[in-house]
Amino acid sequence: MPLIAARLNKISPSQTIAISTKARALKAAGRDIISLSAGEPDFDTPQNVKQAAMRAIANGQTKYTDVSGTPALKQAIAERFRIDSGLDYRPEEIIVCTGGKQVIYNAMVATLDAGDEVIIPSPCWVSYPDIVALADGAPVIVPCGPNSGFKLRAEDLEAAITPRTKWFFLNSPNNPTGAAYDRDELRAICDVLLRHPDIWIFTDDIYDKLVYDGFQPATIVQVEPRLRDRTVTMNGCSKAYAMTGWRIGFAGAPALLIRAMDKLQSQSTSNASSISQAAALEALTGPQDFIAEMVATYQARRDLVVDMLGEADGITCHKPEGAFYVYPSMQGCIGKTSAGGAAITDDESFVVALLEEQGVAAVHGAAFVFPGHFRVSYATDTESLAEACRRIQRFCADLH
Ligand code: PLP
């Protein structure tokens, strides 16, 4: 009898790990490596948030809490939903999880039966298809290319829907492209969903505070309140509050689903860390000006990267509305050979050669189910970022 369950064969280890492992090995061997592969802010967690956590420890907030989160934090989440998006969620319609990732995991495991289909626009975050597969669901990938700004078109959503469609995922701003949907674009998507009353909607808004050039973020329930009773609105502290390690994600959703997710969580991880919940409470209720400062820095870096990569031979770089990623095409480099003699046959050979020859780590597009591109994270100090872009330009100029 094999030790490892068949279920585990449905998923693969995170493809982003392979490139980071290689980058770390090269660094350990003394090479000068700049990593643009991280999916987390380079900013430190704000001081007031850290202090709230230290106070929580000193005050003995070190015990189990309600599985779905402390009443105070749920109240604060409800308030943020109201202030930020005009959404009205009651405490019994809110759950706090160990990161946004656990929100997705809970929702899928609590609802999917074998063969249920989940529509996922691609490029998509690496974990969506794997979480769906682990929960016995069938990911239905709908490619969204640069011609539509990497956004799903209403007609492509309509065409992907079958009688087995249970969920539709939307991530705006998107990882890995940074693409964000405005109200009109969401309106078109909502109109399709209104015609299919059995489909549930999972909207991952974890990057919604990181938007540039005055872009107004919006979310499904805000645009179409009639979809409220079948939508999960997910958000979290990881990106906007630079709190990836604290592991706090949350969602607003109909109480029926929240109860099912709570039941599942009660038999798996129980509550998210009590100390992290106290920190999250301060993040959500304390001063918010930190975010605007961070956004200004990200915007300047985005412009730098888009300009510099746009000058690299064989690269086309789209300018995204949000998050901290750009997703350039490298298709103009395919079929060439690098200065170090590597054949560039696809996005993976491109990022491997770039890392080995120029010491720049980026993630290949196949990891996000949309090859021919690579993801650059600009959550890195501006000086390193400029140097990394110069190295990418050099790498591309040397291709023959
Ligand atoms: N959703 C998207 C699109 C992400 O990029 C990430 C993290 O990279 C998450 C969710 C999960 O975030 P958390 O760290 O809160 O689990």
Side-chain angles (χ1 to χ4, degrees):
M1 194 188 294
L3 171 65
I4 306 301
R7 162 182 345 111
L8 217 68
N9 295 330
K10 294 183 190 169
I11 63 171
S12 33
S14 166
Q15 291 203 53
T16 51
I17 289 176
I19 197 92
S20 337
T21 308
K22 198 173 177 92
R24 260 198 309 278
L26 289 172
K27 209 167 196 167
R31 287 279 307 276
D32 166 23
I33 302 293
I34 304 175
S35 181
L36 307 180
S37 62
E40 63 180 347
D42 56 313
F43 293 93
D44 197 6
T45 301
Q47 271 310 319
N48 61 314
V49 173
K50 291 183 182 178
Q51 278 157 2
M54 290 188 268
R55 278 197 307 276
I57 295 173
N59 296 341
Q61 290 180 49
T62 54
K63 305 286 171 65
Y64 294 130
T65 72
D66 291 349
V67 170
S68 60
T70 62
L73 180 54
K74 285 201 261 183
Q75 194 58 49
I77 291 167
E79 195 59 4
R80 277 257 74 84
F81 274 135
R82 198 183 55 72
I83 297 169
D84 297 342
S85 317
L87 303 183
D88 181 24
Y89 285 111
R90 298 188 303 276
E92 63 271 26
E93 295 174 309
I94 289 173
I95 188 166
V96 179
C97 299
T98 299
K101 198 176 230 170
Q102 196 188 18
V103 178
I104 304 168
Y105 184 84
N106 282 349
M108 294 303 108
V109 173
T111 58
L112 290 178
D113 284 314
D116 286 346
E117 293 176 1
V118 178
I119 295 177
I120 304 174
S122 87
C124 62
W125 185 41
V126 287
S127 295
Y128 294 156
D130 286 77
I131 293 176
V132 167
L134 199 53
D136 277 346
V140 174
I141 304 293
V142 183
C144 310
N147 290 344
S148 61
F150 294 110
K151 293 178 210 175
L152 178 69
R153 297 177 314 171
E155 59 266 36
D156 294 336
L157 171 59
E158 185 75 63
I161 293 172
T162 78
R164 297 239 44 189
T165 307
K166 186 138 191 187
W167 284 95
F168 161 62
F169 266 76
L170 193 73
N171 173 215
S172 172
N174 172 276
N175 175 7
T177 65
Y181 292 70
D182 65 24
R183 275 178 165 268
D184 290 344
E185 290 159 339
L186 286 181
R187 179 73 260 158
I189 300 276
C190 289
D191 287 343
V192 175
L193 294 166
L194 282 173
R195 288 197 289 275
H196 298 274
D198 294 331
I199 299 179
W200 279 71
I201 301 125
F202 192 104
T203 166
D204 178 344
D205 301 343
I206 201 148
Y207 294 98
D208 69 348
K209 301 209 170 36
L210 308 181
V211 286
Y212 313 117
D213 303 325
F215 183 89
Q216 292 295 321
T219 190
I220 294 266
V221 177
Q222 191 182 14
V223 172
E224 182 45 86
R226 283 177 291 172
L227 293 173
R228 183 190 191 280
D229 62 2
R230 51 187 172 109
T231 298
V232 175
T233 305
M234 189 208 101
N235 215 311
C237 294
S238 294
K239 316 290 176 173
Y241 300 96
M243 290 176 68
T244 43
W246 300 78
R247 313 304 304 130
I248 294 290
F250 48 82
L256 168 80
L257 177 59
I258 293 292
R259 278 199 298 277
M261 291 166 70
D262 185 340
K263 179 175 163 188
L264 175 65
Q265 191 167 306
S266 76
Q267 295 294 17
S268 53
T269 58
S270 291
N271 59 276
S273 152
S274 58
I275 298 152
S276 296
Q277 289 191 65
L281 176 63
E282 171 63 23
L284 299 180
T285 57
Q288 303 291 300
D289 21 330
F290 160 79
I291 298 175
E293 287 166 31
M294 205 165 62
V295 163
T297 305
Y298 282 143
Q299 181 174 319
R301 291 179 187 168
R302 177 204 59 171
D303 293 345
L304 174 95
V305 174
V306 169
D307 288 349
M308 290 187 74
L309 293 187
E311 287 167 18
D313 298 336
I315 303 283
T316 317
C317 191
H318 179 260
K319 190 174 194 169
E321 295 89 355
F324 41 65
Y325 310 106
V326 293
Y327 200 62
S329 160
M330 48 62 67
Q331 282 158 83
C333 303
I334 292 178
K336 297 188 175 172
T337 303
S338 71
I344 307 301
T345 53
D346 56 14
D347 44 270
E348 186 160 11
S349 49
F350 177 88
V351 297
V352 169
L354 177 66
L355 176 58
E356 281 171 354
E357 297 177 25
Q358 291 290 344
V360 175
V363 184
H364 56 297
F368 308 101
V369 211
F370 199 92
H373 295 69
F374 61 108
R375 187 189 78 176
V376 164
S377 162
Y378 52 84
T380 300
D381 72 275
T382 308
E383 203 177 308
S384 306
L385 202 56
E387 171 58 16
C389 291
R390 277 192 291 275
R391 292 185 193 184
I392 295 173
Q393 288 175 344
R394 208 177 306 141
F395 178 79
C396 293
D398 288 348
L399 291 174
H400 55 278

